Amino acid sequence: MTLKYVAEIMPSLLQGAELTLQIFFWTLVGSLPLGLLVSLGLTSKFKPLKWLLNFYVWLMRGTPLLLQLIFVFYGLPIIGIVFDRFGAAIFAFILNYAAYFAEIFRGGFQSIDEGQYEAAKVLRLSYGQTIRKIVIPQVVKIVIPSIGNEVINLVKDSSLVYVIGLGDLLRAGNVATSRDVTLVPLILVAVIYLLLIGICTFVLHKVEKRYSYFK
Amino acid sequence: MLEIKNLNKSFGNRTILKNINLTVKDGEVLAIVGQSGAGKTTMLRCITGLETADSGQFLLDGAAFDPQGMDASDAVIGVVFQNFNLFPHLSVLENVTLAPKLVLKEAPDQAEREARGLLEQLGLGGKEKLYPWQLSGGQKQRVAIARALAMKPKILCYDEPTSALDPNLRDEVAKLIIGLKEQGMTQLVVTHDMDFAQKIADSVYRVQAQ
């Protein structure tokens, strides 16, 4: 009976999970590089750029992601900027997560010893070479645990897209629960989230291990 | 021959270096000594381009050079830092070959061959694949020397080469510097240790606190 029910609702849950994964994937693809660029700007000596980016980070971290989603999808059309549902979700998520990643990367950059830059300078490495070959590999090692935290948050934050009418994993479960008056869909939703986060944790540990060859 | 003429440096209104003139002949070791805070390290940092001198002229074999120039041809001065500043994420061999490959555009196999030669000569044969955290202080210093030498500098500078090491390694460092001198390397050594300076140097320059 229950197994049969599980088999019945599984396709809609998996469909929801697929959307969750799409948001997860595209947000990371967009926000990690953007966050890296913003963090370089945050540490730059050009004051106006620094102010602008600090304002951006403040705005993104200072307002709820839910508000940002609503603003992009329901608010911006009022001034003529129209996104489709998925586009609005990705846009809001990338801008939001890039701000958090930028702060994490900034911390990473600032913990690199000045001596590393000096050693690179006397060897005549260019700024680009120094950042790419010397600084970034060390920053990556430092930031992995904090980035991992955000990655795990992202899996769960993606459920906020219900507010703009996207059918993600949580919404699929919610729909089934209200229709069939049973807890089973919500429990399955929890299990799928746990599995997804289990996989993320596993991959993050692997990456951390890959960088454990130096101290 | 390295000549420095009328080198001046101040931080804000604090004068650190005032009209410094010095000459180092090819193949000589010059020790730069002085009290803590007198400006020894600042002087070395001006010569190596890590600080901008307020005024002064730098001549190598009679031709002016810019310590802060960033072309490969400006890489005439090698630096061994007090704390070595090795790149922790690169192996010993990669630490030495990185700049020759990126800056001097050496082919990887040529850079590696030269690096292995330098490491062998400095007693680091067999350590090529290790990472800095796996080395002792003395070994790190020799990797730092190999890394500097791989850029084929005309002059090698050391900032307090004995201070980050066990006191009993002092004589080892002296032997190393004298060994390089015998091969014709011109060397500038900042130190607060007078005995050490006497042991290694052909001449001693005393920096006076202003």
Side-chain angles (χ1 to χ4, degrees), chain A residues 115-116 118 121 124 133 213-214, chain B residues 45 49 67 69 86 88-89 133:
Chain A
Q116 294 288 301
E118 294 192 343
K121 191 176 173 196
R124 263 59 189 180
K133 302 281 184 178
Y213 70 90
F214 72 88
Chain B
R45 288 172 64 85
L86 296 179
H89 62 298
W133 64 274

Side-chain angles (χ1 to χ4, degrees), chain A residues 11 60 126:
Chain A
M60 289 296 138
S126 69

Side-chain angles (χ1 to χ4, degrees), chain A residues 20-39:
Chain A
T20 295
L21 285 176
Q22 276 177 10
I23 290 167
F24 174 78
F25 177 77
W26 290 113
T27 300
L28 286 186
V29 166
S31 61
L32 281 170
L34 184 62
L36 187 62
L37 283 179
V38 172
S39 73

